[in-house]
Amino acid sequence: MNLALLRADLTAISGEQYVREHPVDRHIYGQTPLLAVAPGSLEELAQTVARLAAEPVAIVPWGGGTQQTWGRPPARPFVVVETSRLNRILDYTPDDLTISVEAGMTLGALSAALAANGQMLPFDCPLPAQATIGGLLATAMDGPRRLGYGSARDLLIGIRVVEATGRISKAGGMVVKNVSGFDMMKLYLGSFGTLAIIASANFKLIPQPRAAASILCRAATPAPLWKLINAIAASQLVPVAVEYLEGFDVAGAPCAVAVRSEGLPAAVERHVRDVTAFAQQAGVSAEPLRDAAHEQLWNAINDAPQTATLAADEVVVRVTCLPADLSNAIAAARAAAQRANLPLQVTARALNGVAYLRVRGSAEALREWHAALLKAAPQTMLLAAPPALIAELPAFGTHIANLDLMRRIKQEFDPADLLNPGRFVVGQVA
Amino acid sequence: MNRAELIAELERILGPRGVVATPDALLTYDADGCVMDTHEPHVVALPTSAEQVAAIVRLAARAGMPIVPRGAGTGLSGGATPMQGGIVISTARMDKILQVDTANGRVLCQPGVINWELSQYLKPFGYQFAPDPSSQKACTVGGNIANNSGGPHCLKYGITASHVLAVQVVLPDGSIVWTGDGSAHTPGYDLTGVITGSEGTIGFVTAAWLRLTRLPEAVRVVLALFPDIAGASNTVSQVIASGLLPAALEIMDRLAIKAVNDMYKLGLPEAAGAALLIEVDGVEDGLDELLHDVTAICWRNGAIDVRPARTLAEQNQVWAARKNAFGAMGRLAPTYYLVDTVVPRTKLPQTMDEVGRISREFRLPIANVFHAGDGNLHPIILFDRRDRSQNQRALEAATGVMKVSIDFGGVISGEHGIGVEKQDYMTLLFTTDDLAAMAGLHQSFDPHDLFNPGKVFPKGRGCGELAALRRSGVAWSALKSS
């Protein structure tokens, strides 16, 4: 590879100041990219990819960089393609409750633009000031309010991508209901940038609620809180989030459940009353939180699974299981942590069967903890680990079905395995 | 393999009751609800299990014959019409609800379960299956999954894709796979998501874990009457813009009111130019406030009457009128062509003006019964199929509606699918590169074009050809020299 020539060609596309050689601030588990390039438009992005494909050299798409520890590190020397300059709103008619934005826009910037019109995209991801829309979609990151409003899977209505060859294609549209052609949004969502680079996305928006409040229920042990969670699930209440918390300092107790209600004022007050009553029946305390206290609690919960800043001995995982199995999976994680005296933090979408766990310890202790957890929750995904462990721990759990079919899809969309090689379940296919 | 051998093989797999091969019987499988194009199958298979479906698929591959999935045949885009003949696989005998798992918010079904029957079955548990197409008393959940069907309550509860947690499918290579177990993040690509809405072209759904939705504590329904459709359309746009979230917002125009009035004894004043059905649901608290605010918007837009449906019986009557409106069209004309497009919701009033213009231009009455809250139009073009001129004008009027919808930033189908009906309109919406990406997905599942061939993609643009184009990529050298 002639790096100087590649650099010159990329500079011709995006401009001198947007091409950097060996940028250490773009490393992934200690691997520094050959180059980092930040195209300024869809066309520049497409030309950049076409040029890199012609080399050919591996490509790692990069949004805010908050989730680059997810999955496996790159399998080959790579060039980082950043979306940071693709950060514009492309189309927004507030009264349609839809928006089209470029992939490099941060969720925070998008939320601010929407709030000005009394609207929201309730993705609740960690570090919204840094995390980009493209990155959230590529990883299918979820948030506590998926319970009430759905996740990106339900709110993404259109997409434009740059494929591995530099071709631009789109799917979906700017309407909330659409079966015109295949649902390619579902294909790219959560595909870790292994099929194409997301350039822009269209969303169905949610009006901001007229009222909101939380009920924070605290306990010394998990059991009564799961009783409370089951009571909420069996009721006809419609909370937008029910988050189980353990080892989470902000909650002010060893274990807690945070329930979030949004909607008309009378409906919110009804939730506060009923959840408080359920909590009393379950024998746990219940404190209503409003305004700033309510916001602060949820900002902390949203940030809890972040992987941008890690301790040197820290592992972060996402457990996914059927909702009724979640308390057992968390119990297994707790028991394994207690055996080795490891501090464990849990934030769990209790009614969705999704939990984010953080644990710290020696490499040996973390290895044992992870193995014990995998036995109880085989669909556990590794979001971050110390560099010494990342290569050996199963990144996507021990239960990956339909791998042949997934590899055929990867082969069709990226036969040269240029996009994020090695990172995803499909591994290296070239 | 000749036809007799094929039938003998099928009978060996399915037993004699599982095969339909007499010419008269085959005629009933030559179309679905879209009667513009018809074609008979070679044979119809009625399996009872995924294993039987897989055996039929392997047999079809050996015989070099396509398979065409069929649910209740209520589809409106020709998705179940065997345009190249082949084996129609009906899900009529795969109609069991297998497991209700309230602890995990899911229900396991075979594809031939009727949508309405599923929700009736779930009621005593306190749950429903939220997607509710107007054809729900006949259509099957398998068909709902294949078409990613909608319905009035999509406005609040989302489309079918949001309610399909995992599917068991027979793939074109004859294998049987589950795409997940209903848990939230299955590792790898979202196979459930791409199979849903793929119109039976990449996998044959043989079972599904569907999402249970809790029945709401309280429901309120009102019917607002307007002198014209503009008042109703403006109301819908303003309700959406105001951030209120009703469960359904459905409009019927003057012609539709006339048709359903006779049939359902609603006693609606036929002077009313439009009726807007509004449903709100949730916890009891706050519901009256919500309804009050929605009603105020109705009055501001010139409503002439707002009638609450006070009892459950009254609510059911209003909904029956809405959902059976298409059937009532038979009172107005011998044939109708139901067009399904979507526009951004602020464009609804202008689009309805254009639909009126198209009706005048092509001299055919058009009734409107539609999911206004989602911007999903259903102009119903009334004509007589025996009159060749009317036939032609109906097709041109439908094309006009699609073009107008696209001009306003919309799309050519919101819930009925592309099938055969709209395959040649796909190029109005998508570039060759867009279609080629879809073809790439198709090829990775069905490289030999065995499943429901000749659908979705424009005629004459085979998936193989489109996918080859995509693979050829963009030559950097060409870009550089330009």
Side-chain angles (χ1 to χ4, degrees), chain B residues 170-457:
Chain B
V170 173
L171 296 173
D173 64 6
S175 59
I176 304 171
V177 304
W178 269 104
T179 59
D181 63 359
S183 53
H185 298 270
T186 303
Y189 302 129
D190 182 358
L191 302 178
T192 311
V194 298
I195 288 167
T196 304
S198 63
E199 303 196 20
T201 62
I202 61 176
F204 188 110
V205 174
T206 47
W209 281 110
L210 303 174
R211 184 189 300 284
L212 295 175
T213 299
R214 199 79 170 87
L215 287 169
E217 181 179 274
V219 178
R220 305 263 198 288
V221 176
V222 297
L223 199 60
L225 301 174
F226 293 85
D228 53 36
I229 200 153
S233 303
N234 282 317
T235 300
V236 169
S237 290
Q238 287 171 29
V239 168
I240 296 297
S242 71
L244 300 166
L245 275 179
L249 284 171
E250 299 279 313
I251 289 180
M252 287 186 279
D253 73 355
R254 190 188 309 273
L255 267 177
I257 291 170
K258 184 169 152 40
V260 300
N261 242 355
D262 297 347
M263 219 157 152
Y264 298 97
K265 315 279 177 261
L266 285 187
L268 300 177
E270 294 190 4
L276 171 62
L277 192 166
I278 302 160
E279 180 175 300
V280 297
D281 72 5
V283 294
E284 179 69 40
D285 312 61
L287 219 49
D288 287 325
E289 179 190 342
L290 176 59
L291 200 55
H292 173 269
D293 290 0
V294 174
T295 309
I297 296 174
C298 294
W299 292 122
R300 277 209 301 281
N301 283 286
I304 50 178
D305 196 5
V306 177
R307 302 179 172 188
R310 288 194 179 78
T311 64
L312 187 62
E314 281 177 18
Q315 290 182 5
N316 288 342
Q317 189 191 25
V318 172
W319 272 115
R322 161 60 188 91
K323 288 192 174 172
N324 296 317
F326 302 125
M329 290 300 148
R331 292 174 175 254
L332 300 179
T335 330
Y336 67 85
Y337 184 171
L338 170 51
V339 188
D340 164 47
T341 68
V342 195
V343 294
R345 294 173 281 197
T346 54
K347 297 296 192 301
L348 203 52
Q350 287 163 274
T351 311
M352 295 318 296
D353 285 349
E354 286 295 308
V355 170
R357 182 190 59 73
I358 288 167
S359 170
R360 292 189 296 278
E361 183 183 335
F362 293 97
R363 292 172 285 117
L364 291 173
I366 297 181
N368 289 281
V369 180
F370 61 107
H371 311 305
D374 284 320
N376 187 185
L377 324 184
H378 284 343
I380 304 163
I381 304 164
L382 302 169
F383 68 108
D384 185 344
R385 196 147 71 110
R386 294 160 300 188
D387 179 330
R388 280 182 64 181
S389 159
Q390 288 197 27
N391 222 13
Q392 186 57 31
R393 280 183 277 142
L395 285 171
E396 286 171 14
T399 305
V401 170
M402 279 185 255
K403 286 187 171 159
V404 161
S405 302
I406 291 171
D407 287 347
F408 283 128
V411 299
I412 58 176
S413 183
E415 54 179 17
H416 295 172
I418 299 302
V420 182
E421 183 208 359
K422 288 177 176 163
Q423 61 185 146
D424 287 332
Y425 298 101
M426 286 285 276
T427 51
L428 296 178
L429 205 54
F430 294 113
T431 65
T432 300
D433 283 351
D434 302 339
L435 293 170
M438 294 178 196
L441 174 64
H442 180 273
Q443 287 287 291
S444 46
F445 280 81
D446 186 12
H448 306 298
D449 220 7
L450 194 64
F451 275 27
N452 215 3
K455 308 281 170 72
V456 184
F457 294 91

Side-chain angles (χ1 to χ4, degrees), chain A residues 51 96 146 153-154 163 167 170 177 179-180 194 210 234-236 270 320 324 379 402 408 412, chain B residues 104 162 178 183 187 189-190 214-215 217 244 285 293 346 376 413 415 433-434 469-471 476:
Chain A
R51 174 62 184 90
D96 282 331
R146 66 177 296 162
R153 196 174 186 272
D154 306 291
E163 298 175 22
R167 271 182 189 276
K170 69 169 186 303
K177 212 171 156 188
V179 294
S180 311
T194 59
R210 292 188 188 177
S235 75
Q236 282 173 307
R270 162 76 185 283
T320 302
Q379 293 193 87
N402 306 316
R408 287 207 297 274
E412 180 66 42
Chain B
N104 290 306
S162 293
W178 269 104
S183 53
Y189 302 129
D190 182 358
R214 199 79 170 87
L215 287 169
E217 181 179 274
L244 300 166
D285 312 61
D293 290 0
T346 54
N376 187 185
S413 183
E415 54 179 17
D433 283 351
D434 302 339
L469 183 70
R470 198 189 61 75
R471 283 187 213 112
W476 163 248

Side-chain angles (χ1 to χ4, degrees), chain B residues 37-118:
Chain B
D37 298 285
T38 61
H39 195 289
E40 280 170 52
H42 285 81
V43 60
V44 177
L46 293 147
T48 55
S49 68
E51 289 69 25
Q52 288 185 349
V53 173
I56 299 165
V57 166
R58 288 192 293 267
L59 173 64
R62 262 189 10 241
M65 211 171 245
I67 66 108
V68 178
R70 183 182 180 96
T74 57
L76 293 165
S77 62
T81 306
M83 296 305 294
Q84 302 173 11
I87 305 173
V88 162
I89 306 181
S90 162
T91 59
R93 296 205 297 170
M94 301 178 77
D95 60 350
K96 308 288 181 299
I97 298 166
L98 300 171
Q99 189 189 341
V100 178
D101 178 8
T102 56
N104 290 306
R106 58 181 191 159
V107 54
L108 179 62
C109 277
Q110 288 190 312
V113 170
I114 308 277
N115 174 294
W116 171 263
E117 288 175 5
L118 176 58

Side-chain angles (χ1 to χ4, degrees), chain A residues 157-239:
Chain A
I157 56 172
I159 203 159
R160 192 178 298 272
V161 300
V162 172
E163 298 175 22
T165 57
R167 271 182 189 276
I168 298 167
S169 59
K170 69 169 186 303
M174 278 293 274
V175 291
V176 297
K177 212 171 156 188
N178 186 359
V179 294
S180 311
F182 289 173
D183 191 346
M184 303 298 283
M185 286 74 80
K186 300 284 194 299
L187 181 65
Y188 302 124
L189 181 68
S191 68
F192 279 68
T194 59
L195 300 176
I197 300 178
I198 298 169
S200 64
N202 310 342
F203 297 100
K204 175 179 171 176
L205 301 173
I206 308 287
Q208 281 192 343
R210 292 188 188 177
S214 314
I215 309 95
L216 182 58
C217 306
R218 299 183 178 94
T221 59
L225 292 168
W226 286 101
K227 218 170 129 188
L228 166 66
I229 289 163
N230 290 334
I232 294 169
S235 75
Q236 282 173 307
L237 296 179
V238 281

